[in-house]
Amino acid sequence: MKKRLATTVCALGLLLSAGVASAGTDAITYAKELPGFKRNIYLATGTKDNNSDSKVENSIVGQNYEATMWIVDASGKKVSNTAKDVTDNDIRFFTVDDSAVGGNVTLVAENDKITRVSVEISGRFYPDLK
């Protein structure tokens, strides 16, 4: 009986920890498709806990395409610089407005080229570096 209870408590703990929102310094992974015709897409959302830079470790932009990226706050207002020509195995840093600290921020991307095809993109987003 005690073993079964302990197993249940451990399983419940794992489920709860898996559902917790990502803290600012934790990596938030993304794997999506950039839509064609330079339409943008939200890649990852996390909490901006402090005024440090945000970081993106982009793994893949498919088919030799490049992406443009920036960060918005919870209301959709752009709060960072824009990174252009983001490619495979690319690391970028973003200075984020202090107005975003304490709220959620979202990494946004679009295809650099006007094309009809959707392009794969994947990587990790860190809302805070410290």
Side-chain angles (χ1 to χ4, degrees), residues 2-107:
K2 287 183 182 179
K3 186 176 180 180
R4 183 174 182 185
L5 180 60
T7 302
T8 302
V9 169
C10 286
L12 183 58
L14 287 173
L15 286 174
L16 289 175
S17 66
V20 173
S22 187
T25 56
D26 293 340
I28 304 165
T29 59
Y30 57 88
K32 298 196 177 188
E33 285 190 1
L34 296 175
F37 300 108
K38 291 188 71 106
R39 292 176 301 183
N40 63 45
I41 186 169
Y42 286 9
L43 295 177
T45 300
T47 304
K48 184 73 178 146
D49 292 327
N50 59 58
N51 64 353
S52 66
D53 285 350
S54 296
K55 177 182 173 183
V56 171
E57 296 174 348
N58 197 72
S59 302
I60 296 171
V61 180
Q63 303 173 9
N64 296 319
Y65 285 92
E66 296 174 340
T68 299
M69 296 179 160
W70 63 94
I71 296 172
V72 299
D73 64 13
S75 68
K77 176 185 160 202
K78 183 180 174 189
V79 292
S80 77
N81 54 301
T82 300
K84 296 186 177 205
D85 306 322
V86 179
T87 61
D88 295 351
N89 302 312
D90 201 340
I91 296 175
R92 298 295 177 107
F93 296 91
F94 296 86
T95 301
V96 179
D97 292 349
D98 287 342
S99 65
V101 174
N104 284 338
V105 291
T106 301
L107 177 64

